[in-house]
Amino acid sequence: MSGLKGLPASSVVGVLGAGTMGAGIAQVAAAAGHRVRLFDTDGVVVERALDDMRERLERSVAKGRRTHAEVNELIERIEPVPSLEDLRDTALVVEAIVERLDVKQRVFSQLEEIVPAGTILATNTSSLSVTAIAAGVQRPELVVGLHFFNPAPVMPLVEVVIGAATSPEVAGAAYATAAAWGKTPVRCTSTPGFIVNRVARPFYGESLRLLDEGVADIATIDAVVTGAGGFRMGPFTLMDLVGLDVNLAVSKSVYEQTFHDPRFAPHVRQQAKVDAGHLGRKSGRGWYDADLPGPASLETGPVPERVAINGDAEWDAMAARLGASGVPIARTDVPFLDVDGTSVHPAMGIGGTDAADVVLDLVLDWQHAKRVAVAVGARAADDAVAKVAGLFQAAEIDVSRVAGVPGLVLARIVAQLISVASDAAAAGVATPEDIDTAMRLGTNYPGGPFEWADAIGVAPVMMVLDEMRAFTGEERYRTSGSIRRAAANGTKLRDQARRKI
Ligand code: NAI
């Protein structure tokens, strides 16, 4: 893709819709040097969009990022136009109007009568099929998705969505143009939710189920996900920020469009919150309100006298973090961890809850971990959890006790994210590398699902999914062929799941 050329800066770009996204996209194109024609059926919206843009850009002048002259030049390059006919000299039109298939199809077929023969018709749709939008026009090979994220001038990711009829040249030009505009493009085929809105679903779906099953409460799930996973925000905090109604609408859309794939099923708890008008920050109340208790943390336990950690390299990072706390640590052939005679097993790994005194949830980054979840195994002594808590607390890691389900909290969420990502890659939605990039940049995840699979290994992921499947009987936890093959062959998941896009 890198050899392909984007639009020359001299070509004119049309933007349809001057709402949240259209205004942002117009700014991005103008900042890259294009003249932009901005059309909205509501002229007042265009005026307001340009006023707001000037105000925002002036703030960047105050911060020394731009000069007044640059702001004036940028805004002068955006010309508000009163009719679609005014887009007749554009080389690319990006549509960001109301999210309705019939309206988008109608506007695109009007547009192709107006613009020059080779003009690229891009849609910023977040949930409609690019293939379906293109089906309404005479030259569907010119239609492509350019899915920006909000706010478009700030968010680096653009999903270049390739419909069934999109020509490789158009996809390549859209990709190169997004790159020339300073964005990080990824390519994906037109499938429900594209990359980010599809692969991110289990982040919310598993968390809602963990809450519903009583595994942990809202604040504890969020604290484990951020403290052990390094995610910037926990799932419930993020839903409050995005809006529970928006999150539910995306979940429903992906679920409907995948013909009710159980992995994408929304949850009744989401619907109940939306029905109650608890939409998150914008309504003043969502998952969190003033009365919600903070995360559950265990009381300080005794500092252990003898700790043995398995000598395999995979536990080096944990040994380094715990060793720095001054507790004497031996590297031996214990199954995983032994704390004053208490056996600890990982939630992703040896034997599950039955074989150990204490089960320890996944930690993605031991060096920076602030919290870890533990569960009590079937044969634990009364003081087992306190002993283990003492060890982690000595290393300044808070410990939350959760109920003993396969994968506890973080390992279960991460396993399901990896599972959904690997199926997306295997189905030819996008390459593993583009999926990782999209999840890092589109959702701010600390890593991508395939990077996690590389680090954790694919066998533990399979174990959590298989145990969840057996435990719940739900098809939601089916393990994909690429995960099974990678585990059986000892290959990397990214190599097993890769398809040519
Ligand atoms: P918005 O409601 O802020 O803006 C839409 C604008 O389109 C309105 O100003 C409306 O007057 C105008 N409009 C409606 N019909 C039109 C027509 N036939 N011709 C010209 N203008 C027309 O909506 P927003 O949020 O900017 O979304 C626009 C598109 O971008 C949708 O397809 C949405 O799914 C997608 N999107 C939205 C994101 C978001 O976070 N808001 C993120 C990524 C994509």
Side-chain angles (χ1 to χ4, degrees):
M1 275 289 131
S2 55
L4 282 160
K5 281 220 185 88
L7 294 185
S10 58
S11 46
V12 180
V13 172
V15 176
L16 288 184
T20 312
M21 296 308 292
I25 294 165
Q27 181 184 323
V28 171
H34 294 281
R35 276 185 300 139
V36 177
R37 309 226 194 286
L38 181 58
F39 172 68
D40 195 295
T41 39
D42 185 346
V44 178
V45 174
V46 184
E47 273 174 46
R48 204 174 47 220
L50 290 173
D51 288 347
D52 290 351
M53 195 185 300
R54 184 176 291 282
E55 207 181 298
R56 267 197 320 274
L57 289 169
E58 289 295 347
R59 268 184 255 140
S60 70
V61 173
K63 288 182 191 150
R65 292 203 200 117
R66 285 188 176 87
T67 64
H68 272 297
E70 282 165 351
V71 170
N72 286 338
E73 281 167 24
L74 190 159
I75 292 187
E76 275 164 22
R77 280 198 287 275
I78 304 176
E79 183 191 347
V81 294
S83 83
L84 265 191
E85 308 288 328
D86 297 308
L87 303 181
R88 71 179 74 80
D89 61 348
T90 52
L92 163 70
V93 177
V94 187
E95 165 280 310
I97 64 171
V98 57
E99 185 75 337
R100 270 182 48 190
L101 179 61
D102 58 336
V103 180
K104 288 190 196 283
Q105 280 180 331
R106 195 181 63 235
V107 168
F108 272 24
S109 55
Q110 286 170 352
L111 205 55
E112 72 175 343
E113 300 296 325
I114 296 167
V115 296
T119 294
I120 297 174
L121 303 176
T123 172
N124 186 48
T125 182
S126 42
S127 62
L128 300 172
S129 155
V130 172
T131 300
I133 293 172
V137 305
Q138 312 211 350
R139 281 168 292 159
E141 66 276 12
L142 294 172
V143 178
V144 65
L146 270 181
H147 185 217
F148 289 80
F149 289 71
N150 186 16
V154 177
M155 293 291 281
L157 185 69
V158 174
E159 291 176 333
V160 177
V161 185
I162 303 164
T166 310
S167 77
E169 292 72 26
V170 166
Y175 182 98
T177 301
W181 291 1
K183 298 298 176 188
T184 304
V186 290
R187 293 193 313 147
C188 61
T189 49
S190 179
T191 44
F194 310 139
I195 302 176
V196 172
N197 280 340
R198 169 183 181 138
V199 176
R201 300 273 51 84
F203 190 61
Y204 312 104
E206 286 312 310
S207 306
L208 287 158
R209 279 160 183 78
L210 287 163
L211 177 68
D212 206 49
E213 292 162 20
V215 175
D217 58 36
I218 289 171
T220 305
I221 294 170
D222 272 1
V224 170
V225 168
T226 54
F231 287 76
R232 272 199 222 160
M233 273 185 226
F236 293 97
T237 306
L238 191 53
M239 280 187 267
D240 272 359
L241 182 72
V242 169
L244 272 67
D245 50 344
V246 173
N247 187 274
L248 178 63
V250 176
S251 300
K252 281 184 174 173
S253 159
V254 175
Y255 183 57
E256 293 303 326
Q257 290 188 65
T258 54
F259 302 115
H260 297 187
D261 182 332
R263 278 195 309 206
F264 301 118
H267 199 277
V268 286
R269 281 184 180 253
Q270 278 172 294
Q271 184 70 59
K273 290 298 259 182
V274 172
D275 290 346
H278 298 168
L279 307 181
R281 272 198 206 178
K282 63 184 168 190
S283 72
R285 184 170 176 189
W287 294 110
Y288 284 87
D289 64 44
D291 308 329
L292 196 78
S297 301
L298 289 174
E299 284 173 21
T300 309
V303 176
E305 286 165 20
R306 282 175 302 111
V307 177
I309 295 178
N310 182 279
D312 289 352
E314 64 182 300
W315 310 116
D316 285 353
M318 181 179 78
R321 173 71 188 266
L322 297 179
S325 65
V327 177
I329 307 251
R331 301 299 299 274
T332 69
D333 60 358
V334 292
F336 170 57
L337 182 62
D338 183 287
V339 186
D340 284 343
T342 294
S343 74
V344 183
H345 285 185
M348 274 189 150
I350 359 162
T353 34
D354 292 341
D357 295 320
V358 172
V359 181
L360 186 70
D361 199 357
L362 174 69
V363 172
L364 282 172
D365 177 1
W366 276 107
Q367 202 188 340
H368 302 104
K370 295 194 176 67
R371 180 177 298 270
V372 65
V374 297
V376 185
R379 60 182 183 91
D382 291 345
D383 61 348
V385 169
K387 280 197 215 165
V388 176
L391 170 64
F392 290 104
Q393 288 157 346
E396 295 180 353
I397 298 171
D398 282 326
V399 182
S400 292
R401 182 174 167 179
V402 302
V405 291
L408 303 192
V409 173
L410 184 66
R412 174 162 153 191
I413 294 171
V414 166
Q416 190 72 318
L417 286 168
I418 291 172
S419 170
V420 168
S422 72
D423 266 3
V429 173
T431 63
E433 289 69 28
D434 274 359
I435 292 175
D436 279 352
T437 301
M439 301 319 288
R440 274 182 180 278
L441 299 183
T443 58
N444 256 327
Y445 285 178
F450 292 94
E451 291 164 342
W452 296 328
D454 286 348
I456 300 163
V458 81
V461 173
M462 187 169 89
M463 201 194 88
V464 171
L465 294 170
D466 282 350
E467 282 191 10
M468 275 308 293
R469 177 82 197 259
F471 187 68
T472 63
E474 283 193 64
E475 207 208 328
R476 178 179 174 82
Y477 301 103
R478 67 187 186 267
T479 304
S480 66
S482 44
I483 289 182
R484 287 205 188 286
R485 272 187 229 112
N489 303 338
T491 48
K492 282 192 169 187
L493 184 58
R494 64 176 67 238
D495 296 330
Q496 203 67 63
R498 184 182 311 281
R499 283 269 302 277
K500 200 169 177 325
I501 311 298

